[in-house]
Amino acid sequence: VGVTVGNSEASLSRKQDNSNVLFSQDNYFKFGTAAPWIEPDSVEFPKSMPFVLSQQRYDALKKYGDRVKTGIQAVTSLEDTIKAGGFASIPGPDDPIYALRPFGLLANGFMGSENTGTTNELLLARWYINEIYLRIGDIRNASSEVESLAALNAAKKSINSYLA
């Protein structure tokens, strides 16, 4: 059991008790290990997708889709700030500009229902959201541009895995 077991690139800033993340019940909470990144166009992991009514998914996408897209753009645009040397001055991970709570609400709409409850796939999506959250903090707290770019790269992998 450890914050990087299963994914050597997982954020070391995660506390063992999961107390410093946005969604405390995530993949690490249940399994005690980090989730692997999901490669683009991969269908190997996760093995299944929970049944949720199409209308529920449509409603969630309609309600949160644009906010999630804006949040993704906010995270990916941090590269310019980092390269300009301003990584310590970026907004913190709690800033609404990143739309991390809407990320979670969208995941709930796509992977959770009254019938299924909290599924392993939903816990996995929350783990990726928590990694984005932690990595934004890692970018702010980095001691060098290289360190902050590595944290940004991991945040981008989290976003890609969340969307996969």
Side-chain angles (χ1 to χ4, degrees):
V1 176
V3 295
T4 61
V5 172
N7 186 336
S8 61
E9 293 182 86
S11 178
L12 292 171
S13 59
R14 180 185 297 262
K15 291 185 179 177
Q16 290 284 339
D17 63 358
N18 227 20
S19 63
N20 65 331
V21 295
L22 199 56
F23 300 102
S24 61
Q25 291 186 358
D26 67 357
N27 194 74
Y28 180 77
F29 168 81
K30 182 170 183 179
F31 299 107
T33 60
W37 302 131
I38 300 174
E39 297 299 323
D41 301 323
S42 172
V43 292
E44 295 174 18
F45 183 75
K47 298 287 183 196
S48 63
M49 184 75 166
F51 173 78
V52 176
L53 295 173
S54 296
Q55 187 63 47
Q56 179 179 324
R57 290 181 181 183
Y58 173 77
D59 291 344
L61 187 59
K62 185 176 172 185
K63 190 170 186 178
Y64 304 113
D66 288 337
R67 289 162 62 186
V68 167
K69 286 180 191 173
T70 303
I72 291 169
Q73 291 171 346
V75 173
T76 56
S77 70
L78 292 176
E79 188 167 357
D80 295 334
T81 306
I82 292 168
K83 289 184 176 177
F87 52 87
S89 65
I90 67 165
D94 289 326
D95 196 299
I97 191 170
Y98 304 117
L100 295 178
R101 292 195 187 277
F103 268 80
L105 293 167
L106 182 63
N108 283 344
F110 270 65
M111 294 179 235
S113 72
E114 294 171 4
N115 296 331
T116 61
T118 305
T119 62
N120 290 344
E121 294 80 11
L122 179 55
L123 295 174
L124 180 64
R126 288 177 180 172
W127 186 85
Y128 293 124
I129 298 164
N130 284 338
E131 274 299 299
I132 299 166
Y133 177 86
L134 292 168
R135 288 312 193 154
I136 292 168
D138 293 346
I139 292 168
R140 282 180 56 119
N141 298 327
S143 58
S144 68
E145 181 180 322
V146 172
E147 193 178 312
S148 62
L149 285 172
L152 177 62
N153 187 41
K156 287 179 181 179
K157 286 181 180 181
S158 297
I159 291 170
N160 289 335
S161 297
Y162 169 86
L163 295 173

